[in-house]
């Protein structure tokens, strides 16, 4: 009998972990070519296994609904009286799409890293961390229960801390790693509380059992039942930390301190999409709470437009892409908030393609300019690095929503589902999404024009323009693959209004069949969908045109406009002073509390003080005892006399007291 591919699913996380162990323990003593080969081999094999899974599930005669559960070790993980958790993996259609993103895009980033990190110190350490990241992300995606998902969740946070702070001798990189780690702990606290509430009300952490129990109790979805809303909002807090949503988005721009392949891995394919995946996975809980759904939509919309506005005025090429990531994640949360989970996952898929491409292409630009990241010191590069220019152009057009590139179809699906949502705020949410689309087009074409067009503006302290060269093929080949996916990757979701059948939505139907994505979306004709698509294309074209005027046809226009609106420009350029606000009203008070209360009062006064007092007491008793046992007969006689006098005094005092009584 031919074995089924899901019988080997546990190899998907195991192989990257094996790569981590090999490079982490032996990599220092191995040649770089061996280190790179190990890292690539142990990520290529999981990608091949996922491809086998995909072909099996999409083959003729495959079941419409697929759900396979795997217990790699065959025994209970945690078992107590009345409660147990299994170490169990599960595969369904949503899992498969996430595995394609994690292993496929992750493998491409590994190939790129071989060339990009070729001359860096700690080469073995970098690939060990990358493999560790892939291991934890695979565990997160494959987990069948909340607790195992949380293990992957925390592991991804640890690996991202190591990767962001890879240049640990650089203070800004070390601080960025700590910032990411600490901010994510805030969200993780919400996740932990959600699990405690789940245990209290459901008695299990298994996805299947929780959702089945919820389906058996429709009365829990009534307005007066609040624990479902509490669970959903606590899970949202965890998702906001991992996927950089308001108010926990501040760590993501600073994560740019890590190497560029790390930026691509964290911002495109893996860590930041974990929150979106978790919300989609728990759609049954969110669907049961209209309040939680509205909060998800509002947070997503607010994050999308605020991050887009900040990205419009950034000068560091990687920071523009970082705020773009935050904005696009807001789009995904907006889709989930209006019940369009399939549209959100569709955008997650296309975003992985074009955002990984944009970051890796930005790395190629930085490599060509010997580390320069400021777009004000670029310009005219399209003729010097033509392959990077062509591939990055595909990513720019895709994220801007220009048809027929991938981003157009997924972004348009989100806008259409938002407009037709029964949410009372659907028109406002749609307008915010539409405005964000125009802003996205503007800042991406701003990046495009400032980097590749116009006259060269080299930094006088940097490499001369004549030394600029194209990247090696180990970096260019991944760009070409991702560029192709950025063009055609969205064709799996072409809607019926445009002549397609939205295959990705049909593929995800078994997962979201009972969700709001199918239950509450209004049935409308193709005319409305075509009209909304045309409006979004016109808005994207407007963004392109404004960027062309500002940065190509009349290059000084943007600077003059910024001077005339200096206060607004400074507010946005300084990111609305959010970091400073957190520093003044959260970080500083906590530091004062930690310094005076915890360090001085608790640590020094109570902990150290009690230890010192105990030591002094012991020394005092020892001194008294030492005086008593001196070896001097006259001293012994004196102590004997004192003791006898004390006994006589007690006896006399006792008799006197009896006489009075």
């Amino acid at each position: 009998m031919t074995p089924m591919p899901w019988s080997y699913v546990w190899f998907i996380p195991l192989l990257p972990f094996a790569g981590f162990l090999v490079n982490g323990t032996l990599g220092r003593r191995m040649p770089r070519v061996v280190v790179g080969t190990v890292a690539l081999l142990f990520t290529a094999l999981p990608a091949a296994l996922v491809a086998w899974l995909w072909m099996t599930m999409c083959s003729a005669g495959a079941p419409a609904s697929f759900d396979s559960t795997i217990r790699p070790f065959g025994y209970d993980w945690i078992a107590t009286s009345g409660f147990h958790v299994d170490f169990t993996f599960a595969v369904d259609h949503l899992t498969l799409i996430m595995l394609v993103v994690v292993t496929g895009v992750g493998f491409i980033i590994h190939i790129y890293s071989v060339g990009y990190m070729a001359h860096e110190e700690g080469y073995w350490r970098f690939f060990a961390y990358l493999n560790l990241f892939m291991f934890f992300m695979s565990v997160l995606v494959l987990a069948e229960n909340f607790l195992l998902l949380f293990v992957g969740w925390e592991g991804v946070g640890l690996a991202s801390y190591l990767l962001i702070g890879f240049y640990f001798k650089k203070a800004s990189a070390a601080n960025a790693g700590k910032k990411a780690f600490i901010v994510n702990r805030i969200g993780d606290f919400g996740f932990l509380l959600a699990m405690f509430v789940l245990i209290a009300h459901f008695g299990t952490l298994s996805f299947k059992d929780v959702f089945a129990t919820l389906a058996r109790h429709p009365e829990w979805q009534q307005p007066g039942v609040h624990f479902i809303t509490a669970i959903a909002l606590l899970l949202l807090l965890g998702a906001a930390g991992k996927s950089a949503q308001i108010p926990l988005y501040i760590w993501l721009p600073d994560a740019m301190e890590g190497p560029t392949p790390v930026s691509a891995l964290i911002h495109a394919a893996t860590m930041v999409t974990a929150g979106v995946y978790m919300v989609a996975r728990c759609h049954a809980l969110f669907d049961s709470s209209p309040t939680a759904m509205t909060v998800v939509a509002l947070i997503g919309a607010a994050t999308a437009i605020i991050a887009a506005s900040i990205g419009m005025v950034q000068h560091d090429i990687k920071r523009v892409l970082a705020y773009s990531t935050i904005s696009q994640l807001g789009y995904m949360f907006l889709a989930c908030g209006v019940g369009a989970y399939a549209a959100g996952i569709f955008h997650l898929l296309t975003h992985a393609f074009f955002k990984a491409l944009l970051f890796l292409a930005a790395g190629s630009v930085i490599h060509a300019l010997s580390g320069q990241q400021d777009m004000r010191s670029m310009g005219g590069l399209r003729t010097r690095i033509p392959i990077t220019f062509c591939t990055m152009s595909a990513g720019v057009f895709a994220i801007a929503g220009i048809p027929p590139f991938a981003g157009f179809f997924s972004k348009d699906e989100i806008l259409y589902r938002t407009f037709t949502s029964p949410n009372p705020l659907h028109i406002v949410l749609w307008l915010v999404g539409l405005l964000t689309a125009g802003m996205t087009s503007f800042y991406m074409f701003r990046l495009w024009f400032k980097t590749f067009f116009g006259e060269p503006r080299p930094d006088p302290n940097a490499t001369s323009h004549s030394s600029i060269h194209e990247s090696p093929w180990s970096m260019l080949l991944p760009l070409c693959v991702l560029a192709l996916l950025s063009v055609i990757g969205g064709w799996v979701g072409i809607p019926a209004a445009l002549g397609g059948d939205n295959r990705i939505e049909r593929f995800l139907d078994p997962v979201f069949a009972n969700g709001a994505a199918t239950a509450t979306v209004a049935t409308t004709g193709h005319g409305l969908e075509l009209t909304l698509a045309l409006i979004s294309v016109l808005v994207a074209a407007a963004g392109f045109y404004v960027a062309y005027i500002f940065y190509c046809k009349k290059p000084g226009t943007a600077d003059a406009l910024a001077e005339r609106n200096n206060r607004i420009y400074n507010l946005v350029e300084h990111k609305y002073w959010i970091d400073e606000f957190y520093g003044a009203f959260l970080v500083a008070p906590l530091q004062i509390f930690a310094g005076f209360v915890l360090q001085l009062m608790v640590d020094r006064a109570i902990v150290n003080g009690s230890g010192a007092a105990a030591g002094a007491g012991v020394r005092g008793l020892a001194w008294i005892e030492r005086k008593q046992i001196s070896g001097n007969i006259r001293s012994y006689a004196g102590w004997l006399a004192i003791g006898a006098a004390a006994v006589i005094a007690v006896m006399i005092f006792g008799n006197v007291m009896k006489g009075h009584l």
Side-chain angles (χ1 to χ4, degrees), residues 165 342 364 438 451 470 473:
S364 183
T451 303
E470 188 63 275
W473 273 104

Side-chain angles (χ1 to χ4, degrees), residues 104-405:
V105 177
F107 174 61
I108 292 173
I109 292 172
H110 273 71
I111 296 175
Y112 179 93
S113 300
V114 171
Y116 189 86
M117 302 295 292
H119 305 292
E120 295 283 352
E121 292 184 22
Y123 186 81
W124 63 273
R125 181 165 51 89
F126 177 80
F127 280 104
Y129 293 165
L130 277 188
N131 281 177
L132 181 66
F133 191 99
M134 295 282 287
F135 161 70
F136 280 121
M137 193 65 201
S138 299
V139 170
L140 188 157
V141 170
L142 285 166
E144 190 279 332
N145 56 70
F146 285 94
L147 187 59
L148 186 56
L149 187 149
F150 188 72
V151 170
W153 191 273
E154 290 295 284
V156 166
L158 170 64
S160 66
Y161 163 75
L162 296 172
L163 288 167
I164 294 169
F166 177 77
Y167 300 119
F168 59 88
K169 295 181 181 179
K170 186 179 175 183
S172 58
N175 291 334
K178 289 186 288 186
K179 185 176 183 179
F181 192 82
I182 293 170
V183 172
N184 272 275
R185 297 292 73 73
I186 299 172
D188 297 347
F189 180 67
F191 199 148
L192 275 172
L193 291 179
M195 287 197 292
F196 294 150
V197 181
L198 281 166
I199 293 172
H201 288 276
F202 291 88
T204 181
L205 291 177
S206 167
F207 292 132
K208 185 177 181 180
D209 293 341
V210 167
F211 301 154
T213 302
L214 187 63
R216 290 196 302 268
H217 293 276
E219 68 276 9
W220 288 356
Q221 302 180 27
Q222 299 302 316
V225 181
H226 301 299
F227 74 89
I228 297 295
T229 298
I231 293 172
L233 292 179
L234 288 170
L235 290 174
L236 174 60
L237 178 61
K242 199 67 72 181
S243 290
Q245 298 295 290
I246 290 175
L248 301 179
Y249 71 93
I250 56 173
W251 67 269
L252 193 59
D254 290 350
M256 295 298 96
E257 293 292 340
T260 297
V262 172
S263 302
L265 190 66
I266 291 177
H267 294 181
T270 51
M271 178 174 172
V272 294
T273 61
V276 180
Y277 166 74
M278 189 261 282
V279 172
R281 172 61 68 195
C282 302
H283 67 92
L285 289 167
F286 284 90
D287 290 342
S288 300
S289 173
T291 300
M293 292 287 283
T294 300
V295 173
V296 172
L298 290 175
I299 286 179
T303 302
I305 195 166
I306 290 174
S309 66
I310 298 174
M312 291 170 64
V313 298
Q314 295 298 303
H315 302 295
D316 186 304
I317 188 171
K318 288 176 66 176
R319 283 191 174 268
V320 173
L321 297 177
Y323 282 103
S324 168
T325 296
I326 299 172
S327 181
Q328 296 303 305
L329 289 166
Y331 248 105
M332 299 174 205
F333 271 77
L334 172 60
C336 293
V338 297
Y341 300 104
I345 296 300
F346 182 25
H347 197 59
L348 184 154
L349 177 66
T350 60
H351 178 265
F353 299 149
F354 59 68
K355 186 53 63 67
L357 168 62
L358 288 169
F359 269 112
L360 297 185
S364 183
V365 171
I366 295 167
H367 178 270
L369 298 177
S370 301
Q372 179 58 259
Q373 296 183 197
D374 195 325
M375 295 186 297
R376 292 171 293 188
S377 297
M378 299 179 187
L381 293 177
R382 69 185 185 282
T383 58
R384 308 307 303 271
I385 46 175
I387 299 177
T388 299
F389 165 68
C390 291
T391 53
M392 193 170 193
S393 297
V396 169
F397 278 77
I399 192 173
I402 305 298
F405 292 85

Side-chain angles (χ1 to χ4, degrees), residues 414-437:
I414 292 175
L415 290 175
Y416 170 66
R417 296 292 183 180
T418 301
F419 190 89
T420 57
S421 167
N423 190 301
L425 300 174
H426 67 108
I427 298 297
V428 175
L429 295 172
W430 175 77
L431 287 173
V432 171
L434 187 66
L435 179 58
T436 301

